[in-house]
Amino acid sequence: MVITKTRSPIRSNVGLKAVMAVTGIMLALFLIAHMLGNLKVFTGETSFDHYAHWLRDIGKPLLPGVWFLWILRTGLVVAVVAHITAATVLARRARAARPVKYAHRKKVNGSYAARTMRWGGVIILLFVIYHLLDLTTGTLNPVGDPSKPYGNVVADFAPERWYVTLFYTLAILAVGFHLRHGAYSAFRSLGQQTPRGERRARTAALVFAVLLCAGYLVVPFAVLTGLVS
């Protein structure tokens, strides 16, 4: 008698795509919320500092200290790891399903974003590590004072630290390409597969990515140009 092992549904291609979709939505919602919080820098130092301190107090008195933030960060790390793992497994399976290589094979049709997901992911990962050491722990920040969030942001993107703004811009653009491709794929998965539907999906994904990138980039450039000081 031959005993066959059944693959867990979550490890199937459909399950892995579902993992990517769910974690992608979670990360996109976080990015939107984080962007809106960043924009409060334009309301002034007092308002922004109050908002930053409020984030640390979420959950009190049920949760002590900054536990809520660390629970949120842990959840985001799990989502990122699950997202990357699912994408990697799916990519390997796709390559394994096409073992024969042809000498003259046409390039696979796909957007620029789809073809640059790998290096874009590396940039994003490096940026997240730097961002945590900069504005979370304060290790790499010129001020690094948790009681002065506004001052930390202004010091971080000061004109003499233009290279930080450049790195931040590259990372956000990488996020934008990633979101554009991911949102387009999500819209197609929801049934937008007619020519008209695909055009709408491309437009919606592009608008979403551009708005999110603009929302993130306006802060460092406002500091760089002296609009926020």
Side-chain angles (χ1 to χ4, degrees):
M1 182 177 66
V2 179
I3 299 176
T4 58
K5 294 183 178 180
T6 58
R7 177 182 291 175
S8 170
I10 201 171
R11 295 178 61 186
S12 66
N13 286 352
V14 174
L16 290 173
K17 289 180 180 179
V19 169
M20 286 193 67
V22 172
T23 54
I25 291 172
M26 290 172 58
L27 295 171
L29 291 176
F30 167 76
L31 287 173
I32 294 172
H34 191 40
M35 178 198 70
L36 294 176
N38 287 352
L39 292 177
K40 287 188 69 68
V41 75
F42 292 102
T43 62
E45 182 174 0
T46 301
S47 178
F48 185 78
D49 285 352
H50 177 74
Y51 162 72
H53 293 311
W54 170 77
L55 287 177
R56 293 175 175 272
D57 292 335
I58 295 178
K60 286 185 177 180
L62 181 63
L63 297 174
V66 293
W67 276 35
F68 174 82
L69 283 180
W70 283 109
I71 291 174
L72 176 62
R73 289 163 184 161
T74 302
L76 289 172
V77 169
V78 172
V80 168
V81 171
H83 194 79
I84 294 174
T85 301
T88 302
V89 173
L90 286 171
R92 288 178 176 175
R93 288 179 182 175
R95 285 196 299 269
R98 298 189 298 270
V100 179
K101 296 183 179 180
Y102 297 93
H104 301 285
R105 184 178 63 182
K106 294 182 179 180
K107 290 184 178 180
V108 177
N109 291 328
S111 67
Y112 179 76
R115 295 195 299 269
T116 56
M117 293 292 269
R118 181 176 299 175
W119 64 257
V122 172
I123 293 176
I124 294 170
L125 177 61
L126 292 176
F127 170 72
V128 169
I129 294 172
Y130 175 83
H131 195 58
L132 290 174
L133 293 174
D134 180 19
L135 293 175
T136 299
T137 66
T139 306
L140 300 179
N141 190 273
V143 175
D145 188 346
S147 67
K148 300 178 179 179
Y150 185 91
N152 292 336
V153 172
V154 172
D156 199 33
F157 300 113
E160 62 271 16
R161 286 169 57 85
W162 57 268
Y163 49 89
V164 174
T165 301
L166 177 61
F167 180 41
Y168 187 93
T169 300
L170 291 175
I172 294 302
L173 291 178
V175 170
F177 280 119
H178 197 99
L179 283 173
R180 176 177 172 270
H181 176 68
Y184 170 66
S185 299
F187 288 136
R188 290 193 72 235
S189 298
L190 292 174
Q192 298 289 349
Q193 296 185 9
T194 63
R196 185 177 181 181
E198 289 206 358
R199 287 195 297 271
R200 288 179 175 177
R202 288 184 186 279
T203 301
L206 178 61
V207 170
F208 173 63
V210 169
L211 289 178
L212 198 74
C213 285
Y216 272 98
L217 292 178
V218 69
V219 174
F221 280 96
V223 176
L224 183 68
T225 58
L227 182 62
V228 172
S229 59

